[in-house]
Structure formats: structure tokens, C-alpha cells
Amino acid sequence: GRITNINLTIIRDKSAGGKVTVALMSEKLGSIKAEASLKGDKLIGYIVCDHIESLKIIETQTEDLNSLAQEENISIKQLSFCLQQASTYSPQNSLDVDEDKTPETERILYRVAKAMIQMIRSAEETESAVA
């Protein structure tokens, strides 16, 4: 009933900007994809899940991501939670990133990914989590 396989991607090129994508399958929560983009001190992201009940549980587990934002002095401009009905979802207010990425940005993106994974792990541990 735990996460066993995580696909983590960090995109660093100029055209795509600083972005992290986490895709995983959970026996309890189903298929989940989380993506976040960072430009300067602004973070936007989304989490897509294929079960509405699981999505609602994940949505209540944002304290790790909020704590990270405070620690890193970044603001969460947008964080969307979506039911996976179409093959892809793109956030409405995407950040246009045209600056070089720094090691600091990459470090923050790894921490964002870790916080998103922790959100999903916390959601898995709730008693109502069943896909």
C-alpha cells in the first residue's frame, strides 16, 4: 500500500525553465502526477490524480509544501488539484522562464519535489485512503 516507484524529472533548459515533475503509482491513491515551476521567488504547480477521493485527501496535505515555501522565501502563486480525465493538464498562469537556472534554483526544485512526495505519503497514511 506504499509508494514503490517514483519518476522524478528536473528540467533546466532555458525554453522550459526551472521545472520539476514527479509521477508515481500508489496502491492506495492511484496514479498521481505533480509538477511545479519556479521563477525567481514564485512557484506554480499542480497535482493530478485519477481518483477524486484521493485528490481530496492529497489536497489536505499541503503543510510540507507551505513550510518549504516559507523556509526558502518563495511564494506559491498557484497550486491546482485536478482529476485526471484528459491526457494532459497545463496550469493557467504558467511562468515564462527565460533566465539561466542556478544551482540554488535546482536545489529548491529538489526540495519542492520532496515536499510533494511527502504530501502524497501523508495522504497514503490517512485511514480513508483507498483507490
Side-chain angles (χ1 to χ4, degrees):
R2 306 269 312 166
I3 299 169
T4 57
N5 189 15
I6 298 173
N7 182 357
L8 174 68
T9 305
I10 299 267
I11 300 172
R12 299 180 201 91
D13 71 51
K14 280 185 168 184
S15 63
K19 185 186 298 186
V20 63
T21 303
V22 178
L24 56 93
M25 182 65 178
S26 164
E27 287 182 24
K28 283 188 166 186
L29 300 173
S31 176
I32 302 164
K33 179 180 179 185
E35 187 169 293
S37 298
L38 181 66
K39 180 178 182 184
D41 64 349
K42 300 206 181 338
L43 181 77
I44 65 164
Y46 65 90
I47 296 177
V48 179
C49 187
D50 59 356
H51 296 289
I52 188 69
E53 298 83 12
S54 299
L55 193 63
K56 289 177 184 177
I57 294 168
I58 294 169
E59 196 169 357
T60 66
Q61 303 296 323
T62 59
E63 57 274 348
D64 287 324
L65 192 57
N66 291 330
S67 294
L68 169 71
Q70 282 185 331
E71 288 174 22
E72 296 292 343
N73 293 319
I74 58 176
S75 63
I76 300 174
K77 183 177 177 183
Q78 178 183 357
L79 184 59
S80 302
F81 295 85
C82 306
L83 182 61
Q84 183 177 357
Q85 294 176 334
S87 59
T88 59
Y89 169 79
S90 295
Q92 300 260 349
N93 299 326
S94 63
L95 296 173
D96 295 326
V97 181
D98 56 359
E99 57 194 42
D100 289 326
K101 296 295 131 227
T102 65
E104 180 68 11
T105 299
E106 188 171 328
R107 183 188 66 77
I108 293 170
L109 287 171
Y110 274 110
R111 292 195 67 205
V112 167
K114 183 178 178 180
M116 290 178 147
I117 292 166
Q118 186 57 43
M119 284 173 56
I120 295 164
R121 281 183 149 168
S122 296
E124 274 191 324
E125 293 171 1
T126 64
E127 292 187 23
S128 58
V130 177

